[in-house]
Amino acid sequence: MRIQYVTSSVSLKRSLENGTEEQRQTVLSIIEDVKKNGDTALLNYTEKFDGVALSSLRVTEEEVALAFKQVNSETINIIREAAENIRDFHSRQVRESWVTMKEDGTILGQKITPIDAVGVYVPGGKAAYPSSVLMNVIPAQVAGVERIVMTSPVGKDGHLPAAVLVAASELGVKEIYKVGGAQAVAALAYGTESVLPVDKIIGPGNIYVALAKREVFGDVDIDMIAGPSEIVVLADETALPNEVAADLLSQAEHDERASSILVTPSSELAEQVALEVEKQLSTLPKREIAEASIRDYGAIYVTSTLDEAIKVVNELAPEHLEIITEDAMEQIGKIKHAGAIFVGRFSSEPVGDYFAGPNHVLPTNGTARFSSPLNVDDFVKKSSIISYSEKALKQNGAKIAAFARLEGLEAHARAVEERLKK
Amino acid sequence: MRIQYVTSSVSLKRSLENGTEEQRQTVLSIIEDVKKNGDTALLNYTEKFDGVALSSLRVTEEEVALAFKQVNSETINIIREAAENIRDFHSRQVRESWVTMKEDGTILGQKITPIDAVGVYVPGGKAAYPSSVLMNVIPAQVAGVERIVMTSPVGKDGHLPAAVLVAASELGVKEIYKVGGAQAVAALAYGTESVLPVDKIIGPGNIYVALAKREVFGDVDIDMIAGPSEIVVLADETALPNEVAADLLSQAEHDERASSILVTPSSELAEQVALEVEKQLSTLPKREIAEASIRDYGAIYVTSTLDEAIKVVNELAPEHLEIITEDAMEQIGKIKHAGAIFVGRFSSEPVGDYFAGPNHVLPTNGTARFSSPLNVDDFVKKSSIISYSEKALKQNGAKIAAFARLEGLEAHARAVEERLKK
């Protein structure tokens, strides 16, 4: 791993995967086809892209029952416990509606209402991602969303992965469709005979899913378009090189474009971690991916002080930040931008990826400067409440009319004055 | 105004102004030019589009002092009082960071941090919009944003409108640039010699501003791309036709594509409002705009019951909703989607547009199904805090590793196990 002694600005920005014009055209034509031909289009694309001819899209109770037979009880218990932790954490994010009342009779407030219907896209491919089910569905449930729909591409066997179905079932999600790609996004946004449309679509996916989400945005809401993942470890000489290296590699195995960065004032730690990374890499099953990621996007930044290291961290605005220093907790106050902050050596990133409770859907690629982890607020909206009394309008009506006229909006002024007549 | 007796679904969706491909290319080339040539590009575009050759972009103290001489003290007082109301309301939206601690030593939490720097675009054109300054700047200030930059196109006289400068100055905004259009958005997103970049760009503008915001989104955050404005009045036979008509017209004068809709179970009110709209239209300064808006996007929907009318309102998901019925306050609970709810006959929409306190930047075009008024949350981000104790990791480490392996992520499992060794 490259070791760089830094004094000036650093940045982890990688170009977002925007897709080619050809991919975009493909996505647009899929969306049009689904709008026009509904379920028929969905079934055709499933045959074309996933290689499976289905007769219906919705997952049946029998399929869910079968999935439970394929997953051992220990796994089910882990999923349950993780779900409980995630539900507990997100419950603390719930906010209440409020009103404030003034002496003149004015009532102002903010009403919180859940979004009606949310569609969760669960990626398919080679692996099953039950954690993605938990992290996307639970905040919506905690927010009070009435209808939560899940959709995911089928495997070659015509089924969804057992662990995904078990996770969904444990959460009580009953409306699950065997469809993936841009066609799934189109179905969620515009509806078909068997899929009623939703108001918001969330969840990660491949480039076609990302492009489709971008296209339907505005007609429905979407979550972020996720970029490649990253970890920054802020560590001093008290950190253990083998642990730091293992955490860097856990990020690197995700994706060749993932980014793993150590920032430290200790050049000794820097050198030891670099060695450890090489050593641990050699026995990893996903060695090739991790190696490319470390080579192209990995870095060790050595600064002269811990405070300078923190400055670097704030410039990077990482998705995941680990703080492995003396008095790690005391450093949190200095962190301005980070999706999730893992504090101390026992808080290895996978603790948060799977189990502790906070969400693993986090702002990537420096967007922690302005974005947040997926949370309950993403599934509610606010409505302002404004109730003016007669007294309040008499008191303030002339001022409001004057303000409207200042902006050249005469009908606004008259609407107020209409109440003050006679 | 058309009166329709409705029993089935209604929708107010108008096509969003997406611009032409030519406009998009213009915007892309402006952004590139600003990235490459900085201030020179900004000054060139200002000369080209606004017809003014400036020597520098930043508003001087002298210009602000001059503005105060052009605005009468009554207006300044109204701006001050409105600002105070807006600040008071938004202060109630502020949220605190929190942590929760478990017996095993686990600490989980959510840290709230303001965005570092926000750019506020204030539209120019024929009128001055000081209310836009107040509504966009104050929530950012309440959130604790350190750097708030304002930008607005100059008038033919080479200055910004006096009322806009006074409003900004009253709020303590000191970094103001005389530049508008896509070039202003590019400068805010990527910086020039005189404009440091920001993290989020907000505020309404013309199609070029909207297209530029869409292009820079991802590199910086943006607020919504606003569609045309709308009002829905939910009224029963207790409402006064002249007041309802005046409110419909206050929306209609904004824009030919604005939409003004009355939903009522009273066919008598429907007919009277239709007559009143005609009558009041005839004396409006912006009669032509309002007339076109009412003709093309206005509607009066008559339902058989109030509850049915409320169903229609929820389908419309209006930006502004007025409830002018008996027991108006009791109806709020049934409203699922609305940007702002104005309750009772003394809560005419302009009360909220200018003065009461809640924000006037609201979700348009049915997006109240999933979006909120501009608020303090839009200017902060959350970071999750995860601190696991040794005990907690010993207790849960094996489960976390098992979950990681279930998803095929061996390095994740090993990162946890690295801590549990020996």
Side-chain angles (χ1 to χ4, degrees), chain A residues 95 111 335 338 377 381, chain B residues 95 111 335-336 377 383:
Chain A
R95 301 166 73 184
K111 179 175 190 278
I335 304 301
D377 291 339
K381 60 265 180 2
Chain B
R95 300 165 74 185
K111 179 176 192 274
I335 303 301
K336 292 167 77 177
D377 292 339
S383 302

Side-chain angles (χ1 to χ4, degrees), chain B residues 76-95:
Chain B
I76 295 175
N77 284 334
I78 294 172
I79 288 175
R80 271 183 199 158
E81 196 175 338
E84 208 173 290
N85 290 343
I86 296 165
R87 195 174 299 279
D88 181 62
F89 183 83
H90 288 81
S91 300
R92 294 164 200 269
Q93 296 176 327
V94 174
R95 300 165 74 185

Side-chain angles (χ1 to χ4, degrees), chain B residues 34-47:
Chain B
V34 172
K35 273 185 178 177
K36 202 179 295 173
N37 300 309
D39 285 351
T40 311
L42 298 183
L43 291 168
N44 284 345
Y45 288 118
T46 301
E47 186 161 2

Side-chain angles (χ1 to χ4, degrees), chain A residues 36-294:
Chain A
K36 204 179 294 172
N37 300 309
D39 285 350
T40 309
L42 298 183
L43 292 167
N44 284 345
Y45 287 118
T46 301
E47 187 161 1
K48 184 174 171 189
F49 297 131
D50 305 317
V52 180
L54 298 174
S55 57
S56 77
L57 293 160
R58 186 146 176 184
V59 169
T60 62
E61 284 178 26
E62 291 70 35
E63 283 177 290
V64 174
L66 186 68
F68 269 91
K69 286 184 191 147
Q70 295 170 335
V71 175
N72 65 47
S73 66
E74 196 200 338
T75 301
I76 296 176
N77 283 335
I78 293 172
I79 288 174
R80 271 185 199 156
E81 196 174 339
E84 209 173 289
N85 290 342
I86 296 165
R87 195 174 300 279
D88 181 62
F89 183 84
H90 288 81
S91 300
R92 294 165 200 272
Q93 296 175 328
V94 173
R95 301 166 73 184
E96 301 295 330
S97 302
W98 53 264
V99 291
T100 164
M101 303 179 185
K102 301 192 183 179
E103 264 185 51
D104 65 7
T106 300
I107 300 172
L108 302 175
Q110 183 172 281
K111 179 175 190 278
I112 309 275
T113 320
I115 292 175
D116 278 349
V118 168
V120 177
Y121 188 94
V122 178
K126 286 144 263 169
Y129 300 105
S131 67
S132 188
V133 176
L134 304 185
M135 293 293 184
N136 283 281
V137 169
I138 294 174
Q141 290 184 323
V142 171
V145 174
E146 264 185 36
R147 179 169 163 253
I148 298 174
V149 187
M150 223 179 78
T151 178
S152 188
V154 281
K156 296 284 170 213
D157 63 352
H159 296 294
L160 299 189
V164 164
L165 289 182
V166 165
S169 179
E170 282 294 321
L171 301 181
V173 176
K174 295 198 189 311
E175 191 181 343
I176 308 172
Y177 298 98
K178 295 184 279 188
V179 58
Q183 58 274 24
V185 175
L188 290 172
Y190 304 111
T192 67
E193 300 90 322
S194 62
V195 186
L196 281 173
V198 301
D199 300 303
K200 180 163 189 162
I201 301 172
I202 59 168
N206 65 16
I207 183 68
Y208 294 97
V209 172
L211 288 173
K213 279 165 70 180
R214 201 168 290 190
E215 285 304 324
V216 302
F217 177 49
D219 287 331
V220 299
D221 198 14
I222 61 167
D223 59 351
M224 67 192 83
I225 305 283
S229 194
E230 76 256 356
I231 190 172
V232 170
V233 181
L234 171 73
D236 63 14
E237 69 289 350
T238 65
L240 300 180
N242 59 319
E243 296 179 1
V244 173
D247 291 354
L248 295 175
L249 288 172
S250 78
Q251 198 55 226
E253 79 171 335
H254 269 303
D255 182 357
E256 280 138 16
R257 296 170 72 239
S259 179
S260 305
I261 293 173
L262 167 64
V263 187
T264 179
S266 164
S267 56
E268 202 187 327
L269 181 74
E271 280 162 32
Q272 291 171 330
V273 168
L275 289 175
E276 268 290 334
V277 164
E278 294 307 319
K279 194 176 123 194
Q280 294 184 21
L281 249 179
S282 62
T283 67
L284 272 190
K286 299 201 176 193
R287 175 183 170 168
E288 276 180 39
I289 293 173
E291 216 159 40
S293 156
I294 292 287

Side-chain angles (χ1 to χ4, degrees), chain B residues 4 163 199 297 309 313 363 395:
Chain B
Q4 293 171 252
D199 300 303
Y297 297 104
V313 168
Q395 178 99 13

Side-chain angles (χ1 to χ4, degrees), chain A residues 388-403:
Chain A
Y388 243 36
S389 62
E390 184 171 6
K391 189 176 167 189
L393 194 69
K394 279 189 173 148
Q395 179 100 10
N396 300 305
K399 298 177 220 167
I400 296 167
F403 205 148

Side-chain angles (χ1 to χ4, degrees), chain A residues 13 75 78 81-82 85 89 92-93 95 98 100 102 107-111 113 115-116 127-131 134 163 199 218-221 242-243 246-247 249-250 253-254 280 283-286 322 324 329 332-333 335-343 345-348 350-356 358 367-373 375 377 381-390 393 396 399-400 402-404 406-412 414-416 418-419, chain B residues 13 75 78-79 81-82 85 89 92-93 95 98 100 102 107-111 113 115-116 127-131 134 163 199 218-221 242-243 246-247 249-250 253-254 280 283-286 322 324 329 332-333 335-343 345-348 350-356 358 367-373 375 377 381-390 393 396 399-400 402-404 406-412 414-416 418-419:
Chain A
K13 278 211 177 168
T75 301
I78 293 172
E81 196 174 339
N85 290 342
F89 183 84
R92 294 165 200 272
Q93 296 175 328
R95 301 166 73 184
W98 53 264
T100 164
K102 301 192 183 179
I107 300 172
L108 302 175
Q110 183 172 281
K111 179 175 190 278
T113 320
I115 292 175
D116 278 349
Y129 300 105
S131 67
L134 304 185
D199 300 303
D219 287 331
V220 299
D221 198 14
N242 59 319
E243 296 179 1
D247 291 354
L249 288 172
S250 78
E253 79 171 335
H254 269 303
Q280 294 184 21
T283 67
L284 272 190
K286 299 201 176 193
E322 290 185 358
I324 312 180
M329 202 48 102
I332 300 179
I335 304 301
K336 293 166 76 177
H337 317 294
I341 306 170
F342 297 79
V343 189
R345 61 174 279 239
F346 297 106
S347 311
S348 177
V351 165
D353 288 342
Y354 293 111
F355 200 78
T367 58
R369 294 186 68 81
F370 49 75
S371 296
S372 301
N375 67 90
D377 291 339
K381 60 265 180 2
K382 300 150 200 158
S383 302
S384 301
I385 297 169
I386 300 167
S387 176
Y388 243 36
S389 62
E390 184 171 6
L393 194 69
N396 300 305
K399 298 177 220 167
I400 296 167
F403 205 148
L406 179 68
E407 298 195 345
L409 294 170
E410 176 66 20
H412 281 63
R414 291 189 191 174
V416 171
E418 202 69 35
R419 270 84 173 175
Chain B
K13 279 211 174 166
T75 301
I78 294 172
I79 288 175
E81 196 175 338
N85 290 343
F89 183 83
R92 294 164 200 269
Q93 296 176 327
R95 300 165 74 185
W98 53 264
T100 163
K102 300 193 183 178
I107 300 172
L108 302 175
Q110 182 171 282
K111 179 176 192 274
T113 321
I115 291 176
D116 278 348
Y129 299 105
S131 67
L134 304 184
D199 300 303
D219 289 329
V220 298
D221 197 14
N242 58 320
E243 296 179 1
D247 290 354
L249 288 172
S250 78
E253 78 171 335
H254 269 303
Q280 294 184 22
T283 66
L284 271 190
K286 300 200 175 193
E322 290 185 357
I324 311 180
M329 200 48 103
I332 299 180
I335 303 301
K336 292 167 77 177
H337 317 294
I341 305 169
F342 297 79
V343 190
R345 61 174 278 238
F346 297 107
S347 312
S348 176
V351 166
D353 288 342
Y354 292 111
F355 200 77
T367 59
R369 293 186 69 79
F370 49 75
S371 298
S372 302
N375 66 91
D377 292 339
K381 60 267 178 6
K382 300 150 200 158
S383 302
S384 301
I385 296 169
I386 299 166
S387 175
Y388 243 35
S389 63
E390 184 172 6
L393 194 69
N396 300 306
K399 299 176 220 167
I400 296 166
F403 207 147
L406 180 67
E407 298 196 346
L409 295 170
E410 176 66 21
H412 281 62
R414 292 189 191 173
V416 170
E418 202 68 36
R419 271 82 175 176

